[in-house]
Amino acid sequence: LAVFLSCAALSSAHVRSRPIKETVTLHDEDGSFWNRILQYPGASMPTAAPTAAPVPRPSFAPTPAMAPLAPTPIGDDLTTYQIITEKLNPPNVWLPRLVDSIDGAALLNNPDFIHTLFAPTDNAFIATLGEDYLQDLLGSEWSAHTSCLLFNHIVETFIDPTSDWTEAQELTSLNEQLTLGVNPPSVNGVALSDPMDVSAVNGIVHSLGASPLLSDCVTKNIFELSLENADFSTLRQLVLIAGLGDGLTNTRPLTLFAPTNEAFKKLPNEVLDFLLENPMELQAVLKYHTLGQNLLLSNDASAGVYETLEGSTFEVTVDSAGAFSVNGNSMVDPDAQNTLAMNGVIQVIDTVLIPPGFAVPTAAPVLPATSAPVAATPAPVVPATPAPVAPDTPAPVVPATPAPVVPDTP
């Protein structure tokens, strides 16, 4: 019971369904940010989802007939859990197995817990969710998704179609609001089937033969949920450019740490431009935001070092106030955490995570080209001035002086 109730607390307090936004608001006023993104293959301008005409829903006013009953036998000595495991014909297999996977038998066997249980048949489960996915939901990693699905089928009051199902009305299950229809009796448009009103010691069981009561947590994948939230419009475009749309649609389990539009605006222009021009680098950065497992942030046990699909790791920490951070970057509003998708979990962050070693290459400076090459002007050649050559001066000819002639002396 404690484990089951802890799952219930997680479903109601920590697991949030992101509201569908009917309008899409670009996160840059002049459109310059989007203009840079839209020039790349795969990107497209987000458009507002068509606004559906409002469906009038009658208000639900509890009546004495629908008030919780005293814990006394209602018409049978079996609990609702015993009915789904022992009495339904044809027998149910998947519903008891799913209940057991989250330790829910203790709650459905509690005689003081008066409730109505809508019990999908095996055919209803298999036709809508498939056996492979149902098998996944039995694992502990998927307990939050299983709780989300099963809590849709439990209403904490006794509802008898013969006396309480006389007009359309709304009531709240352990997970979300339900709409009861009449003629024939139905829940969220799914008609009740035989057996319709099997009494139990702690409530009543109604079978659903066409479909379980489904929620986004088991019907919409991570990429689909991003389409419905304008805060993820930039992320969505980058996922398409990087070619990761199919992965976020069909792969499970995944946890996406999803940066908001404001997170991407914090990136320097040269970083974003580099990623847009290099899809493989962009793909690596986005994979660094993704784990190949379901990770719910609920307590100290969620903290740790996790390996991403990019191959590197990041660290999740939690402070004394219970606030989570990734690589030291704080998470967005805690109420936005733990959004369940049918293939995993979305965690919202306000900073883009950069893998270790990532760097924008620095390009060598490029000199501007000229219209025509300018030939270099050679330096003027100054002719060498020969040194003056002095003319040869003949040596002066000194006339020979004849020797004096001495006359002979007689």
Side-chain angles (χ1 to χ4, degrees):
L1 178 61
V3 175
F4 187 86
L5 292 179
S6 67
C7 290
L10 177 63
S11 178
S12 61
H14 295 283
V15 178
R16 304 291 177 182
S17 295
R18 302 288 294 176
I20 295 177
K21 304 289 185 69
E22 293 186 349
T23 59
V24 176
T25 303
L26 298 185
H27 66 277
D28 58 333
E29 295 180 357
D30 59 2
S32 59
F33 186 87
W34 271 106
N35 289 336
R36 287 165 43 221
I37 290 180
L38 291 175
Q39 62 181 305
Y40 294 93
S44 61
M45 180 67 76
T47 56
T51 302
V55 178
R57 294 179 179 271
S59 60
F60 169 62
T63 63
M66 296 187 67
L69 302 181
T72 56
I74 293 174
D76 206 320
D77 58 357
L78 300 178
T79 64
T80 57
Y81 180 79
Q82 291 171 321
I83 287 174
I84 64 174
T85 56
E86 302 173 15
K87 189 170 182 179
L88 290 185
N89 187 23
N92 257 347
V93 174
W94 279 108
L95 180 56
R97 292 181 69 189
L98 292 169
V99 170
D100 289 343
S101 72
I102 58 172
D103 294 333
L107 184 65
L108 299 185
N109 277 325
N110 183 359
D112 295 327
F113 180 62
I114 305 302
H115 61 281
T116 296
L117 175 63
F118 297 101
T121 63
D122 286 348
N123 287 339
F125 272 125
I126 294 171
T128 54
L129 297 178
E131 290 192 73
D132 289 344
Y133 189 55
L134 288 168
Q135 192 66 44
D136 284 349
L137 293 178
L138 297 178
S140 59
E141 187 174 6
W142 295 90
S143 60
H145 295 74
T146 306
S147 298
C148 172
L149 170 63
L150 294 182
F151 291 167
N152 264 2
H153 298 78
I154 303 172
V155 179
E156 199 173 354
T157 191
F158 178 81
I159 307 173
D160 182 357
T162 60
S163 59
D164 304 322
W165 224 302
T166 58
E167 62 180 4
Q169 51 194 301
E170 292 184 352
L171 68 163
T172 303
S173 70
L174 295 185
N175 185 41
E176 62 187 27
Q177 192 172 33
L178 304 178
T179 300
L180 303 183
V182 295
N183 299 322
S186 64
V187 186
N188 286 3
V190 181
L192 272 61
S193 60
D194 291 329
M196 188 178 296
D197 50 350
V198 181
S199 295
V201 69
N202 57 348
I204 192 167
V205 178
H206 304 302
S207 290
L208 300 174
S211 170
L213 305 177
L214 301 174
S215 296
D216 290 354
C217 60
V218 292
T219 59
K220 294 185 178 180
N221 58 62
I222 290 174
F223 190 69
E224 285 178 309
L225 290 181
S226 77
L227 292 174
E228 298 175 351
N229 193 323
D231 290 338
F232 296 144
S233 56
T234 302
L235 172 64
R236 184 169 63 250
Q237 296 296 336
L238 297 182
V239 166
L240 292 174
I241 293 170
L244 295 177
D246 286 344
L248 293 180
T249 298
N250 300 313
T251 305
R252 68 177 188 262
L254 295 175
T255 297
L256 175 64
F257 285 78
T260 62
N261 293 336
E262 292 301 318
F264 282 104
K265 287 183 69 175
K266 295 179 184 178
L267 286 178
N269 288 341
E270 60 269 19
V271 175
L272 182 60
D273 289 340
F274 173 76
L275 294 175
L276 290 170
E277 294 166 2
N278 295 273
M280 296 307 295
E281 296 290 342
L282 174 61
Q283 186 178 108
V285 169
L286 294 177
K287 285 185 175 181
Y288 186 64
H289 292 75
T290 312
L291 306 179
Q293 65 182 87
N294 293 332
L295 177 62
L296 294 171
L297 303 178
S298 57
N299 51 42
D300 291 348
S302 305
V305 176
Y306 296 91
E307 183 176 355
T308 70
L309 294 188
E310 182 265 344
S312 304
T313 61
F314 62 56
E315 184 177 14
V316 176
T317 55
V318 56
D319 63 20
S320 58
F324 287 91
S325 299
V326 182
N327 285 354
N329 301 300
S330 62
M331 312 287 281
V332 182
D333 181 1
D335 286 341
Q337 304 312 315
N338 297 331
T339 299
L340 298 183
M342 63 84 60
N343 60 334
V345 184
I346 298 176
Q347 305 291 359
V348 186
I349 56 177
D350 61 3
T351 302
V352 177
L353 305 177
I354 301 299
F358 174 85
V360 176
T362 302
V366 179
L367 298 178
T370 57
S371 57
V374 178
T377 302
V381 179
V382 179
T385 303
V389 179
D392 292 336
T393 303
V397 178
V398 179
T401 304
V405 177
V406 178
D408 290 333
T409 304

